[in-house]
Amino acid sequence: MRIVIMGAPGSGKGTQAALIVKELGIAHVSTGDLLRAAVAAGTELGKKAKEVMDRGELVSDEIVLGLLEERLSNSGMGNGFILDGYPRNIAQAEALNDLLERIGQPVDEALQIDVDEESVVARIAKRAALEGRSDDTEETVRNRLKVYAEQTAPVVEYYANKGILSRVLGEGSIEEVFQRIKGVLQINSDS
Ligand code: AP5
């Protein structure tokens, strides 16, 4: 299964992707995690990316596509994958479409998690206090939400037009949201 999971910052993409991965035995590909790994490794790419991420802007399409291509060419993709944080604009959606068509592995399912802005701001504030992620400051979160509305939200329509979009309510507990996703993906744990 090849899934794209989408939603605003703090909507629960990463949390739910980790649960889906456990259930389906597919690979979790998070462009945010790939970028944070490059930042932690102190590479040139990581240094450039950190400045952009700390402003809440999008890292260049070219850099992110390069990281993604490298990750998808690694082993462990046999059962499929879930993409978390990519695509984030229409150009990325088209680049992904071309890349996956080329390797004969198109996206089967695009999942959009819908959460109120109030909830995502509260969740991120809580994580900021617990983990201190450098882009979880109030000012950066505000910009991440603005960038999401302007550049990423249109990607939902892109997948709706392809006929593979499902929307899931992201309010409630992590387990409640996961049960909704399992329903949409027709995952039956007992089988
Ligand atoms: P990325 O890492 O993708 O961050 P994001 O989209 O801002 O999303 P978050 O990680 O904040 O939230 P999430 O939706 O994954 O929710 P989570 O499960 O963590 O990207 C970071 C930056 O990297 C971008 O701003 C950009 O600069 C760059 N970047 C990444 N991809 C890029 C791309 N393709 N192109 C260009 N630039 C790119 O949950 C959030 C918190 O809420 C957690 O603490 C969690 O425990 C909690 N939580 C989750 N679900 C619930 C629930 N149901 N109830 C209560 N709490 C919950």
Side-chain angles (χ1 to χ4, degrees):
M1 205 166 200
R2 293 173 297 272
I3 305 168
V4 163
I5 191 162
M6 303 178 288
S11 59
K13 301 183 292 296
T15 304
Q16 296 298 332
L19 295 172
I20 294 168
V21 159
K22 243 192 196 168
E23 198 76 38
L24 296 179
I26 58 179
H28 185 178
V29 180
S30 155
T31 46
D33 286 349
L34 292 173
L35 287 163
R36 280 184 288 276
V39 171
T43 61
E44 274 312 306
L45 185 155
K47 284 179 198 157
K48 265 195 219 161
K50 182 170 173 23
E51 278 179 33
V52 181
M53 292 165 82
D54 284 351
R55 289 199 306 270
E57 303 286 338
L58 296 185
V59 175
S60 84
D61 291 347
E62 197 190 346
I63 288 183
V64 183
L65 183 63
L67 284 174
L68 182 70
E69 279 186 298
E70 192 185 332
R71 176 72 177 87
L72 291 180
S73 67
N74 288 349
S75 56
M77 298 289 155
N79 286 338
F81 50 80
I82 182 161
L83 286 180
D84 156 16
Y86 194 99
R88 242 168 159 104
N89 57 31
I90 295 293
Q92 291 187 4
E94 284 169 350
L96 178 68
N97 189 56
D98 291 351
L99 169 67
L100 296 182
E101 289 288 341
R102 223 167 36 236
I103 58 174
Q105 303 204 3
V107 172
D108 307 306
E109 184 77 44
L111 260 183
Q112 165 71 8
I113 307 184
D114 291 312
V115 182
D116 281 349
E117 189 164 322
E118 246 171 68
S119 302
V120 301
V121 168
R123 287 181 192 175
I124 292 178
K126 194 169 167 191
R127 181 174 63 192
L130 289 172
E131 297 174 22
R133 203 171 107 174
S134 68
D135 61 346
D136 277 348
T137 62
E138 200 186 321
E139 195 187 347
T140 301
V141 170
R142 220 177 297 124
N143 198 35
R144 281 162 61 196
L145 288 168
K146 182 167 169 268
V147 168
Y148 172 78
E150 290 172 358
Q151 301 190 47
T152 311
V155 178
V156 176
E157 191 66 25
Y158 175 90
Y159 286 113
N161 289 338
K162 283 191 172 289
I164 56 169
L165 178 76
S166 300
R167 305 188 82 119
V168 171
L169 178 65
E171 303 286 349
S173 71
I174 289 171
E175 185 53 34
E176 282 167 344
V177 179
F178 186 48
Q179 289 306 323
R180 289 180 203 128
I181 290 179
K182 281 171 72 173
V184 164
L185 296 180
Q186 299 183 322
I187 300 173
N188 181 355
S189 305
D190 303 329
S191 62

